[in-house]
Amino acid sequence: MIWCRNSVRPALVSGAAFVLAACGRPKPPAPPQPVAAARPAHSIVPMPVSVQMTPADTFSVDSATTVVVTSGAGAEAERIAGYLVYLLGGPLAPAARTMAEGETPPANSIQLSIDPAKASSGSEGYELVVARGRVTVSAATPNGLFYGVQTIRQLLPWSIEHRGALNRRLRIPGVRIVDSPRFAWRGAMLDVSRHFIDAEAVKRYIDLLALYKLNRLHLHLADDQGWRIEITSRPNLAAIGGSTQVGGGPGGYFTKAQFADIVAYATSRFITVVPEIDMPGHTNAALASYPELNCDGIAPPLYTGIRVGFSTLCVTKEETYTFVNDVVREIAAMVPTPYFHMGGDEVQKLTHDQYLRFVERVQGIISANGKQMIGWGETAPANLAPGTIVQHWKRDSSALHVARGGKVILSPGPRTYLDMKYDSSTVLGLRWAGLIEVRDAYDWNPATLIPEIPESGLLGVEAPLWAETLVKLEDYEYMAFPRLVALAEVGWSPQGVRSWDAFRLRLAEHGPRLSALGVNYYRSPQVPWVQ
Ligand code: TNX
């Protein structure tokens, strides 16, 4: 036996290999090990700006824990406290109350406070400290508090998502977090036109957006296959235009009351609803409902296929602009939010000049109704006001709009299109923009996507979910999750704290959470899912 000076006791070792290693020679290659992925220190998605774990400081939630709101924080903060109590769970939930002025926060409490001094972290930022006897979330605005609460939610075990699981041992790991979003616009788009999903399904989607700190829900409310919103002055739009969908199913539409319910629900989760009525193309449902919108005055039949580009409003008729004004006016009154999306994509039946003049006229109608216009990338060459927003989805001249002082939302097809297949074996979805695995959805930098558009020209990012091939809610969820989670981190986290290798490990921990929420997500082979 050979001995080296630094060797360990002979009883613990045997064989020449050890002896050589102990003597400082190169080790032979280790036999392949089953790779047990390392568990991350936390699994917060999107990754916060700064996270400092303080392992000595675990906070335990028990039946004596109280959620307290500091005096003067306001009704919104109180509502968020109620939401946190709800998240903490059922009949065993700790109580929430507002503290008296000057009162010291009690021990064993989770304290929410509005602190104008935190304004430096922006209108959506927050600070969270989890210490042994106390958790504190402070933010300059209720939006920030809400996001701080979402972070607490993700620090808690996934079992809190399971409303039926009442036997809980809830521990929040000690941590100090300072956080705020990279982009103001962190959006998701739902196409409710190609197939219709009801208000309850939309609200469920809204709840999932909130978990990942997304703040815009763009609803694509009208296309060739269906008109999905009640317009009182134009009843045929819903009655006729809303009566079918791709494949010929029954379609449907939101009544004004249902739409108001969606908007209110989104607002309660700090999500702005962005209504889109696509025009002048993608309008067969409207053209079928009102013959006068057609240049020949003849209403075409309803359409249930998936071709694009064949329809257009008659841009040379005044009736068309009266119609647009009626629709914009009524929808503008339904949403308290500043935006109206006029679509503007894939128009093949007009000259370029006709198309641009139409876009400019609609921009005027939208602004006369007090809203800010958004248009797909094709609208960029029109004479747009700098306050108008362009949404990029494929090669376009949106850089032009930035050069004139306007802002752009990025929805690049090969990264953000949730209707693209994951791989060649995905049953649902399309593939014109490519196959999009989770890494493709995650691993890109908005600031370098279009070389002529610097970060300052970007409002943010958005992931559209087009629904030509999606019928049931499970279909929508399968295509959106987990790619939408990846997009949420692209939109929120600074590029410097993002890495695919770390993200996939954090995302892996969201498998049980999504399952507890009943989400039908895609088990990507790129992610070492925790069971
Ligand atoms: C392009 S993106 C469209 C939609 C389709 C989608 C399918 C855009 C502005 N237009 O009409 O549903 O592709 O992926």
Side-chain angles (χ1 to χ4, degrees):
M1 183 181 277
I2 307 165
W3 280 91
C4 296
R5 263 193 312 159
N6 59 349
S7 72
V8 288
R9 288 188 313 160
L12 291 178
V13 293
S14 63
F18 170 80
V19 172
L20 289 173
C23 293
R25 304 256 195 91
K27 260 192 204 163
Q33 301 284 325
V35 200
R39 301 291 291 265
H42 67 82
S43 59
I44 305 166
V45 178
M47 180 69 183
V49 172
S50 128
V51 181
Q52 210 188 319
M53 302 303 293
T54 53
D57 275 344
T58 305
F59 179 89
S60 297
V61 181
D62 57 35
S63 54
T65 304
T66 46
V67 176
V68 291
V69 176
T70 49
S71 149
E76 277 292 85
E78 286 170 10
R79 195 179 56 74
I80 294 165
Y83 175 81
L84 175 59
V85 166
Y86 162 80
L87 289 176
L88 291 173
L92 299 182
R97 69 175 178 87
T98 299
M99 295 195 295
E101 213 180 318
E103 182 187 338
T104 358
N108 191 5
S109 63
I110 303 176
Q111 180 193 325
L112 308 185
S113 67
I114 294 286
D115 179 356
K118 301 281 186 255
S120 57
S121 59
S123 62
E124 296 178 296
Y126 66 92
E127 280 181 29
L128 167 65
V129 179
V130 177
R132 196 168 297 182
R134 180 165 305 141
V135 175
T136 52
V137 191
S138 44
T141 62
N143 307 50
L145 273 192
F146 183 75
Y147 295 135
V149 165
Q150 295 301 339
T151 297
I152 293 179
R153 177 181 181 182
Q154 293 195 6
L155 287 166
L156 284 159
W158 58 261
S159 63
I160 64 151
E161 308 296 351
H162 209 293
R163 308 307 306 165
L166 297 177
N167 184 1
R168 293 147 198 244
R169 184 182 297 276
L170 299 182
R171 291 216 178 91
I172 312 178
V175 73
R176 299 183 74 87
I177 292 178
V178 181
D179 202 9
S180 60
R182 177 177 181 183
F183 292 112
W185 190 287
R186 304 178 305 280
M189 190 211 83
L190 271 182
D191 169 12
V192 292
S193 175
R194 271 52 179 273
H195 285 94
F196 182 65
I197 52 170
D198 65 15
E200 287 314 306
V202 175
K203 284 157 73 175
R204 180 172 158 80
Y205 204 66
I206 286 172
D207 271 330
L208 294 169
L209 303 188
L211 171 59
Y212 296 106
K213 304 188 176 87
L214 292 161
N215 67 354
R216 299 285 185 271
L217 175 65
H218 168 180
L219 290 174
H220 184 78
L221 292 165
D223 211 301
D224 290 317
Q225 299 85 348
W227 185 283
R228 307 298 180 204
I229 178 92
E230 175 186 2
I231 302 291
T232 312
S233 61
R234 305 278 176 161
N236 291 357
L237 289 171
I240 298 174
S243 66
T244 192
Q245 60 186 13
V246 168
Y253 63 90
F254 301 123
T255 63
K256 285 195 165 174
Q258 287 165 342
F259 195 71
D261 183 37
I262 291 174
V263 170
Y265 197 79
T267 307
S268 76
R269 269 101 179 113
F270 298 91
I271 292 171
T272 298
V273 171
V274 180
E276 178 189 351
I277 299 295
D278 205 345
M279 59 181 111
H282 290 272
T283 42
N284 193 77
L287 297 168
S289 306
Y290 286 99
E292 65 269 29
L293 302 176
N294 299 272
C295 285
D296 60 7
I298 299 170
L302 291 167
Y303 181 68
T304 59
I306 62 169
R307 276 189 306 118
V308 296
F310 60 90
S311 58
T312 181
L313 297 174
C314 185
V315 299
T316 53
K317 278 183 165 177
E318 270 314 296
E319 284 109 306
T320 293
Y321 300 95
T322 314
F323 166 82
V324 171
N325 189 56
D326 286 345
V327 170
V328 173
R329 186 187 66 246
E330 288 199 34
I331 292 180
M334 285 185 236
V335 278
T337 47
Y339 313 108
F340 187 97
H341 200 309
M342 58 89 52
D345 58 314
E346 297 178 315
V347 177
Q348 292 167 12
K349 290 287 154 79
L350 297 177
T351 66
H352 195 50
D353 190 61
Q354 279 179 317
Y355 169 75
L356 296 179
R357 301 295 85 80
F358 176 84
V359 169
E360 288 157 9
R361 217 167 145 184
V362 171
Q363 176 178 247
I365 294 172
I366 291 171
S367 106
N369 282 284
K371 299 287 167 177
Q372 201 174 341
M373 181 180 121
I374 307 176
W376 291 108
E378 288 94 323
T379 62
N383 186 11
L384 299 182
T388 289
I389 299 162
V390 169
Q391 185 167 10
H392 162 87
W393 63 285
K394 60 171 188 188
R395 185 187 286 267
D396 62 22
S397 45
S398 52
L400 244 181
H401 187 54
V402 174
R404 62 163 88 93
K407 298 270 194 216
V408 168
I409 298 164
L410 293 181
S411 298
R415 301 289 188 179
T416 68
Y417 267 39
L418 302 176
D419 63 320
M420 293 299 121
K421 292 175 185 292
Y422 289 97
D423 66 20
S424 57
S425 70
T426 311
V427 174
L428 301 167
L430 306 175
R431 56 189 305 168
W432 66 262
L435 301 171
I436 307 182
E437 248 297 352
V438 180
R439 183 171 187 164
D440 304 307
Y442 181 80
D443 222 352
W444 61 288
N445 181 358
T448 55
L449 183 81
I450 303 174
E452 307 80 50
I453 304 186
E455 181 146 351
S456 58
L458 299 176
L459 206 50
V461 294
E462 184 176 298
L465 184 48
W466 299 100
E468 283 93 334
T469 65
L470 313 180
V471 183
K472 306 181 295 300
L473 185 57
E474 299 92 277
D475 300 346
Y476 288 74
E477 290 176 354
Y478 187 81
M479 298 309 273
F481 291 91
R483 290 182 292 198
L484 189 56
V485 183
L487 185 277
E489 183 152 311
V490 173
W492 180 284
S493 310
Q495 196 67 26
V497 306
R498 297 217 283 120
S499 94
W500 163 251
D501 287 336
F503 173 73
R504 64 194 275 275
L505 297 185
R506 277 180 291 115
L507 178 60
E509 308 275 329
H510 285 249
R513 191 172 294 271
L514 291 170
S515 295
L517 287 164
V519 176
N520 181 34
Y521 67 98
Y522 164 64
R523 271 73 170 170
S524 166
Q526 297 183 329
V527 179
W529 298 105
V530 170
Q531 294 311 316

